[in-house]
Short mmCIF file of all heavy atoms in Angstrom, two decimals:
data_model
loop_
_atom_site.label_atom_id
_atom_site.label_comp_id
_atom_site.label_asym_id
_atom_site.label_seq_id
_atom_site.Cartn_x
_atom_site.Cartn_y
_atom_site.Cartn_z
N PRO Z 75 -188.47 86.20 178.56
CA PRO Z 75 -188.96 87.03 179.67
C PRO Z 75 -188.14 88.30 179.86
O PRO Z 75 -188.70 89.35 180.25
CB PRO Z 75 -188.84 86.11 180.89
CG PRO Z 75 -187.97 84.98 180.48
CD PRO Z 75 -188.13 84.83 179.01
N ILE Z 76 -186.85 88.27 179.57
CA ILE Z 76 -186.03 89.48 179.68
C ILE Z 76 -186.49 90.52 178.66
O ILE Z 76 -186.63 91.71 178.99
CB ILE Z 76 -184.54 89.15 179.46
CG1 ILE Z 76 -183.99 88.40 180.67
CG2 ILE Z 76 -183.73 90.40 179.19
CD1 ILE Z 76 -183.89 89.24 181.92
N VAL Z 77 -186.75 90.10 177.43
CA VAL Z 77 -187.24 91.03 176.41
C VAL Z 77 -188.58 91.62 176.82
O VAL Z 77 -188.82 92.82 176.68
CB VAL Z 77 -187.34 90.33 175.04
CG1 VAL Z 77 -188.08 91.21 174.03
CG2 VAL Z 77 -185.95 89.99 174.51
N ALA Z 78 -189.46 90.79 177.35
CA ALA Z 78 -190.78 91.27 177.78
C ALA Z 78 -190.66 92.32 178.88
O ALA Z 78 -191.32 93.37 178.84
CB ALA Z 78 -191.63 90.09 178.25
N GLN Z 79 -189.80 92.07 179.85
CA GLN Z 79 -189.62 93.02 180.94
C GLN Z 79 -188.94 94.30 180.45
O GLN Z 79 -189.32 95.41 180.86
CB GLN Z 79 -188.78 92.39 182.04
CG GLN Z 79 -189.46 91.23 182.76
CD GLN Z 79 -188.50 90.51 183.69
OE1 GLN Z 79 -187.84 91.11 184.52
NE2 GLN Z 79 -188.40 89.20 183.53
N ALA Z 80 -187.96 94.15 179.57
CA ALA Z 80 -187.27 95.33 179.04
C ALA Z 80 -188.22 96.20 178.22
O ALA Z 80 -188.15 97.43 178.28
CB ALA Z 80 -186.08 94.90 178.19
N ARG Z 81 -189.11 95.56 177.49
CA ARG Z 81 -190.07 96.34 176.70
C ARG Z 81 -190.99 97.16 177.60
O ARG Z 81 -191.33 98.31 177.29
CB ARG Z 81 -190.88 95.39 175.80
CG ARG Z 81 -192.02 96.02 175.03
CD ARG Z 81 -191.54 97.21 174.19
NE ARG Z 81 -190.66 96.82 173.12
CZ ARG Z 81 -189.64 97.54 172.69
NH1 ARG Z 81 -189.35 98.70 173.24
NH2 ARG Z 81 -188.87 97.14 171.70
N GLN Z 82 -191.39 96.60 178.71
CA GLN Z 82 -192.23 97.35 179.65
C GLN Z 82 -191.48 98.54 180.23
O GLN Z 82 -192.05 99.62 180.40
CB GLN Z 82 -192.70 96.43 180.77
CG GLN Z 82 -193.72 95.39 180.32
CD GLN Z 82 -194.23 94.55 181.49
OE1 GLN Z 82 -193.60 94.45 182.54
NE2 GLN Z 82 -195.37 93.90 181.28
N ARG Z 83 -190.20 98.35 180.53
CA ARG Z 83 -189.40 99.42 181.13
C ARG Z 83 -189.01 100.50 180.12
O ARG Z 83 -188.87 101.67 180.48
CB ARG Z 83 -188.12 98.84 181.75
CG ARG Z 83 -188.37 98.00 182.98
CD ARG Z 83 -187.14 97.21 183.37
NE ARG Z 83 -186.13 97.98 184.08
CZ ARG Z 83 -185.79 97.77 185.36
NH1 ARG Z 83 -186.42 96.84 186.06
NH2 ARG Z 83 -184.85 98.48 185.92
N HIS Z 84 -188.83 100.09 178.86
CA HIS Z 84 -188.35 101.02 177.83
C HIS Z 84 -189.23 100.89 176.58
O HIS Z 84 -188.84 100.25 175.60
CB HIS Z 84 -186.89 100.73 177.51
CG HIS Z 84 -185.98 100.82 178.68
ND1 HIS Z 84 -185.62 102.03 179.26
CD2 HIS Z 84 -185.37 99.86 179.42
CE1 HIS Z 84 -184.81 101.80 180.28
NE2 HIS Z 84 -184.65 100.50 180.41
N PRO Z 85 -190.41 101.50 176.59
CA PRO Z 85 -191.37 101.30 175.50
C PRO Z 85 -190.86 101.74 174.13
O PRO Z 85 -191.28 101.19 173.11
CB PRO Z 85 -192.57 102.17 175.93
CG PRO Z 85 -192.40 102.36 177.39
CD PRO Z 85 -190.95 102.35 177.68
N ASP Z 86 -189.96 102.73 174.10
CA ASP Z 86 -189.53 103.27 172.81
C ASP Z 86 -188.18 102.73 172.34
O ASP Z 86 -187.72 103.06 171.24
CB ASP Z 86 -189.45 104.80 172.89
CG ASP Z 86 -190.78 105.43 173.24
OD1 ASP Z 86 -191.81 104.94 172.73
OD2 ASP Z 86 -190.81 106.39 174.03
N LEU Z 87 -187.53 101.93 173.15
CA LEU Z 87 -186.21 101.42 172.83
C LEU Z 87 -186.27 100.38 171.72
O LEU Z 87 -187.16 99.54 171.69
CB LEU Z 87 -185.61 100.78 174.09
CG LEU Z 87 -184.23 100.12 173.94
CD1 LEU Z 87 -183.15 101.17 173.68
CD2 LEU Z 87 -183.90 99.32 175.21
N VAL Z 88 -185.30 100.43 170.80
CA VAL Z 88 -185.14 99.35 169.83
C VAL Z 88 -184.44 98.19 170.53
O VAL Z 88 -183.36 98.37 171.10
CB VAL Z 88 -184.33 99.80 168.60
CG1 VAL Z 88 -184.18 98.63 167.62
CG2 VAL Z 88 -184.99 100.98 167.91
N ILE Z 89 -185.05 97.02 170.49
CA ILE Z 89 -184.49 95.84 171.16
C ILE Z 89 -184.09 94.82 170.11
O ILE Z 89 -184.90 94.41 169.27
CB ILE Z 89 -185.51 95.22 172.13
CG1 ILE Z 89 -185.84 96.20 173.27
CG2 ILE Z 89 -184.97 93.90 172.71
CD1 ILE Z 89 -186.90 95.70 174.23
N GLY Z 90 -182.82 94.41 170.17
CA GLY Z 90 -182.31 93.39 169.27
C GLY Z 90 -182.09 92.08 170.01
O GLY Z 90 -181.79 92.08 171.21
N VAL Z 91 -182.22 90.98 169.31
CA VAL Z 91 -182.06 89.64 169.90
C VAL Z 91 -181.09 88.84 169.04
O VAL Z 91 -181.23 88.78 167.81
CB VAL Z 91 -183.43 88.92 169.97
CG1 VAL Z 91 -183.24 87.44 170.23
CG2 VAL Z 91 -184.30 89.55 171.05
N ARG Z 92 -180.11 88.23 169.71
CA ARG Z 92 -179.19 87.33 169.02
C ARG Z 92 -179.36 85.93 169.61
O ARG Z 92 -179.00 85.67 170.75
CB ARG Z 92 -177.75 87.80 169.18
CG ARG Z 92 -177.49 89.17 168.62
CD ARG Z 92 -176.04 89.59 168.81
NE ARG Z 92 -175.17 89.01 167.79
CZ ARG Z 92 -173.85 89.15 167.79
NH1 ARG Z 92 -173.25 89.80 168.77
NH2 ARG Z 92 -173.13 88.64 166.82
N THR Z 93 -179.98 85.07 168.84
CA THR Z 93 -180.19 83.69 169.26
C THR Z 93 -180.11 82.80 168.04
O THR Z 93 -180.46 83.23 166.93
CB THR Z 93 -181.56 83.50 169.95
OG1 THR Z 93 -181.75 82.11 170.24
CG2 THR Z 93 -182.70 83.98 169.08
N GLY Z 94 -179.66 81.58 168.22
CA GLY Z 94 -179.61 80.64 167.11
C GLY Z 94 -180.86 79.80 166.98
O GLY Z 94 -180.92 78.92 166.12
N LEU Z 95 -181.86 80.08 167.79
CA LEU Z 95 -183.07 79.24 167.82
C LEU Z 95 -184.29 80.00 167.34
O LEU Z 95 -184.72 80.97 167.97
CB LEU Z 95 -183.31 78.73 169.25
CG LEU Z 95 -182.18 77.91 169.89
CD1 LEU Z 95 -182.53 77.58 171.33
CD2 LEU Z 95 -181.92 76.65 169.08
N ALA Z 96 -184.88 79.54 166.25
CA ALA Z 96 -186.09 80.18 165.74
C ALA Z 96 -187.23 80.07 166.75
O ALA Z 96 -188.07 80.97 166.86
CB ALA Z 96 -186.50 79.56 164.41
N ARG Z 97 -187.27 78.97 167.52
CA ARG Z 97 -188.35 78.79 168.50
C ARG Z 97 -188.22 79.77 169.66
O ARG Z 97 -189.18 79.97 170.41
CB ARG Z 97 -188.36 77.36 169.01
CG ARG Z 97 -187.09 76.90 169.71
CD ARG Z 97 -187.21 75.46 170.19
NE ARG Z 97 -185.97 74.92 170.71
CZ ARG Z 97 -185.52 75.14 171.93
NH1 ARG Z 97 -186.23 75.90 172.77
NH2 ARG Z 97 -184.38 74.61 172.34
N VAL Z 98 -187.06 80.38 169.82
CA VAL Z 98 -186.89 81.44 170.81
C VAL Z 98 -187.12 82.80 170.16
O VAL Z 98 -187.74 83.70 170.74
CB VAL Z 98 -185.48 81.39 171.43
CG1 VAL Z 98 -185.22 82.61 172.32
CG2 VAL Z 98 -185.31 80.10 172.22
N ALA Z 99 -186.64 82.97 168.93
CA ALA Z 99 -186.77 84.25 168.23
C ALA Z 99 -188.22 84.65 168.02
O ALA Z 99 -188.58 85.83 168.19
CB ALA Z 99 -186.05 84.17 166.89
N GLY Z 100 -189.07 83.71 167.66
CA GLY Z 100 -190.49 84.03 167.43
C GLY Z 100 -191.16 84.60 168.65
O GLY Z 100 -191.74 85.69 168.60
N PRO Z 101 -191.13 83.91 169.79
CA PRO Z 101 -191.73 84.47 171.01
C PRO Z 101 -191.08 85.78 171.45
O PRO Z 101 -191.76 86.65 171.99
CB PRO Z 101 -191.48 83.36 172.05
CG PRO Z 101 -191.44 82.10 171.24
CD PRO Z 101 -190.76 82.48 169.97
N ALA Z 102 -189.77 85.93 171.20
CA ALA Z 102 -189.11 87.18 171.56
C ALA Z 102 -189.67 88.34 170.75
O ALA Z 102 -189.89 89.44 171.28
CB ALA Z 102 -187.60 87.07 171.34
N CYS Z 103 -189.92 88.11 169.47
CA CYS Z 103 -190.54 89.14 168.64
C CYS Z 103 -191.97 89.44 169.12
O CYS Z 103 -192.41 90.59 169.12
CB CYS Z 103 -190.57 88.70 167.18
SG CYS Z 103 -188.97 88.65 166.37
N ALA Z 104 -192.67 88.40 169.53
CA ALA Z 104 -194.06 88.56 169.98
C ALA Z 104 -194.16 89.44 171.22
O ALA Z 104 -195.18 90.11 171.43
CB ALA Z 104 -194.68 87.20 170.24
N VAL Z 105 -193.09 89.45 172.06
CA VAL Z 105 -193.16 90.25 173.29
C VAL Z 105 -192.39 91.55 173.19
O VAL Z 105 -192.29 92.29 174.16
CB VAL Z 105 -192.67 89.44 174.51
CG1 VAL Z 105 -193.54 88.22 174.74
CG2 VAL Z 105 -191.20 89.04 174.37
N GLY Z 106 -191.82 91.85 172.01
CA GLY Z 106 -191.23 93.18 171.90
C GLY Z 106 -189.92 93.34 171.16
O GLY Z 106 -189.44 94.46 171.00
N ALA Z 107 -189.28 92.25 170.69
CA ALA Z 107 -188.03 92.41 169.95
C ALA Z 107 -188.29 93.05 168.59
O ALA Z 107 -189.29 92.76 167.93
CB ALA Z 107 -187.34 91.06 169.77
N ASP Z 108 -187.37 93.91 168.16
CA ASP Z 108 -187.51 94.65 166.91
C ASP Z 108 -186.51 94.22 165.84
O ASP Z 108 -186.65 94.59 164.68
CB ASP Z 108 -187.28 96.15 167.15
CG ASP Z 108 -188.15 96.71 168.26
OD1 ASP Z 108 -189.38 96.73 168.09
OD2 ASP Z 108 -187.59 97.14 169.29
N LEU Z 109 -185.48 93.49 166.25
CA LEU Z 109 -184.37 93.17 165.35
C LEU Z 109 -183.80 91.81 165.73
O LEU Z 109 -183.57 91.54 166.91
CB LEU Z 109 -183.28 94.24 165.49
CG LEU Z 109 -181.99 94.06 164.69
CD1 LEU Z 109 -182.25 94.32 163.21
CD2 LEU Z 109 -180.90 95.00 165.21
#
């Protein structure tokens, strides 16, 4: 949800995610993570 909200606030920003869980990484990419 943080990535989703950040994407709405900053449409052009590159957003990176550091997580050890693929089940979290996938949905994060779906809502706006780029890296």
